[in-house]
Amino acid sequence: MREALSAGVSRRRIRRDDLARQYHGARSSLPPLATDAKPQRIAFRRLEEYQPLLSGEQFFSSASAAVYWGLPLPWAVQGGPVHVATQWPNRAPRVDGTIGHALRRPHVVERDGWRVQAPTDAWCELSTLLTLDELIAAGDALFYRQRKLTTRDRLANAIRKWGSKPGALLLREAFELIRENAESPKETEWRLILMRAGFPEPTISHEVRDANGELIAILDLAYEWAQTGLDYEGRHHADDPDQFARDGVRYNALQRAGWHDIRIMAGMAKADILDDLDERLTKKGWRRPDPPAPSRHTNRHSPPPGRHKSTPPVMETYKVDDLPGATTLGRHECTEGPHEACKSDDRVQTTARNQGEPRGRKRDISC
């Protein structure tokens, strides 16, 4: 607002109702969003409104950086206070409606006038805000088929430099289940459902072609050996007549090619979908692995059947320490994008001020 006054804008103009007042010291002339705007678009608008308040050393971090990079987040996280960080020993930003952070040697990306925490480090920050499955879905979004934000090596390095801070174990567990080439959080959700139900791990974004090599469809999840695919269809598939017609043509083409496509829609019973898949794979020769036989030397203190976690299905996993190039980082040269600083990231102090907390309250997080 001080800049507007210096530029000759009158106080009367600044007080006009057409300027939104989201943060102290700032007014926004951005047009209002549509009433049916998606949650991620609403969250991004809040970043746009705060961006003029960023000083030269400040940048968006944590969940706010994840919003910028387009990672899927529950509304409870992306709709919360804006996360703004600076480099320690500068004081963490303190503005109503924000959570401030002071970070040691932050890894910052500058792009199109925005200063944002690198996507790998922003994903690591989410480990204290998300559940395991939500963290996996956000991790898959780093490697979407049409938009890859990083590499597995870089993500592994970010996890290693996170060290033993809160969320470290969750990061490693999530990393082992992150896969590339997905296109939506629902694909991630159903891939995990199938694997935990004892099915083999499906192929993601599988291309089906006809005898002439022409592309018929790209299936969300597929078992090529059984010519079986699964597709999640959102509401727009039914609301858009053109999309609905294209889906029909695609479905018929898959049938002619000998493929069985299981279509998943909101409201369908999960058990019915799994039963359909089980029947199809069984017809193609798949047999569910037998549970391991009980040992004759079972400890008498072992928990009774049903009181312990079931053995997970065999699946391909990736471990941080096994990846090529996954070395311990101190200062390092970044290849993630054009920016000024690319350094190890250790969170030092967090201050929070929003409507639900008293002025000046601090939360200290030691490395």
Side-chain angles (χ1 to χ4, degrees):
M1 196 163 70
R2 186 182 301 112
E3 294 178 3
L5 293 172
S6 300
V9 179
S10 67
R11 291 186 178 275
R12 182 177 180 181
R13 177 67 184 94
I14 291 175
R15 288 194 292 266
R16 289 278 297 274
D17 293 339
D18 62 325
L19 298 180
R21 226 188 308 192
Q22 296 293 340
Y23 304 100
H24 178 73
R27 302 291 184 270
S28 173
S29 60
L30 296 172
L33 296 176
T35 55
D36 59 347
K38 296 182 178 180
Q40 194 160 21
R41 182 68 189 91
I42 297 173
F44 189 81
R45 168 56 61 86
R46 297 173 66 231
L47 302 187
E48 292 177 310
E49 292 170 340
Y50 190 87
Q51 188 187 18
L53 295 177
L54 291 177
S55 69
E57 292 292 328
Q58 295 177 356
F59 54 93
F60 292 114
S61 66
S62 189
S64 296
V67 169
Y68 175 85
W69 294 114
L71 307 188
L73 301 173
W75 176 248
V77 175
Q78 66 180 349
V82 173
H83 290 256
V84 184
T86 188
Q87 181 167 341
W88 185 86
N90 293 331
R91 185 178 183 181
R94 301 176 62 188
V95 177
D96 288 337
T98 71
I99 295 179
H101 306 271
L103 306 178
R104 290 184 184 273
R105 300 183 297 276
H107 183 173
V108 180
V109 174
E110 292 189 4
R111 193 173 79 165
D112 300 330
W114 290 74
R115 286 175 55 82
V116 190
Q117 190 175 31
T120 51
D121 290 6
W123 180 78
C124 290
E125 295 276 355
L126 297 176
S127 61
T128 59
L129 302 174
L130 303 181
T131 65
L132 174 62
D133 286 7
E134 291 168 347
L135 194 60
I136 295 171
D140 277 3
L142 295 172
F143 305 98
Y144 274 174
R145 187 170 65 90
Q146 298 180 342
R147 185 210 63 179
K148 297 188 187 298
L149 298 175
T150 187
T151 66
R152 294 195 68 90
D153 282 355
R154 294 176 193 159
L155 186 58
N157 287 337
I159 295 173
R160 293 188 60 151
K161 74 175 183 178
W162 186 262
S164 59
K165 290 187 287 188
L169 294 179
L170 195 67
L171 288 176
R172 292 175 177 270
E173 186 175 357
F175 182 82
E176 294 178 2
L177 293 172
I178 289 175
R179 301 292 183 267
E180 299 187 25
N181 298 323
E183 291 188 317
S184 74
K186 280 296 180 181
E187 291 182 29
T188 301
E189 177 184 335
W190 273 94
R191 173 173 62 84
L192 296 175
I193 289 174
L194 299 182
M195 295 166 68
R196 290 165 180 165
F199 292 100
E201 181 171 350
T203 301
I204 300 171
S205 296
H206 178 72
E207 295 184 354
V208 179
R209 299 181 179 272
D210 61 18
N212 299 321
E214 295 293 329
L215 181 65
I216 296 176
I218 300 177
L219 299 171
D220 292 345
L221 304 170
Y223 297 98
E224 184 178 7
W225 54 271
Q227 288 189 300
T228 301
L230 299 96
D231 278 313
Y232 184 87
E233 298 184 355
R235 184 71 182 177
H236 69 281
H237 285 262
D239 292 343
D240 185 345
D242 293 336
Q243 181 65 54
F244 190 75
R246 288 194 297 269
D247 289 342
V249 172
R250 175 178 179 273
Y251 183 74
N252 292 336
L254 284 169
Q255 283 190 317
R256 289 194 299 272
W259 278 77
H260 179 71
D261 188 26
I262 300 174
R263 303 166 78 179
I264 305 172
M265 304 175 194
M268 296 179 66
K270 184 190 304 182
D272 293 341
I273 297 169
L274 297 179
D275 287 345
D276 189 2
L277 178 62
D278 189 282
E279 180 180 355
R280 174 69 180 179
L281 297 188
T282 300
K283 287 181 179 179
K284 291 293 183 176
W286 176 72
R287 294 292 180 269
R288 188 178 294 276
D290 294 329
S295 171
R296 292 183 302 171
H297 306 288
T298 301
N299 190 312
R300 62 188 181 92
H301 296 296
S302 299
R307 295 290 299 278
H308 60 280
K309 295 182 179 180
S310 59
T311 303
V314 176
M315 63 185 75
E316 183 180 6
T317 61
Y318 303 86
K319 294 189 179 297
V320 177
D321 296 337
D322 297 337
L323 286 172
T327 58
T328 303
L329 295 184
R331 289 178 177 267
H332 62 283
E333 181 178 358
C334 177
T335 57
E336 294 216 31
H339 55 277
E340 294 178 353
C342 171
K343 304 166 186 177
S344 173
D345 178 6
D346 292 312
R347 182 166 49 185
V348 177
Q349 184 187 62
T350 300
T351 66
R353 286 189 60 204
N354 51 49
Q355 297 177 357
E357 297 187 72
R359 185 181 183 91
R361 177 178 175 183
K362 294 185 177 179
R363 285 180 262 161
D364 293 328
I365 301 177
S366 300
C367 300

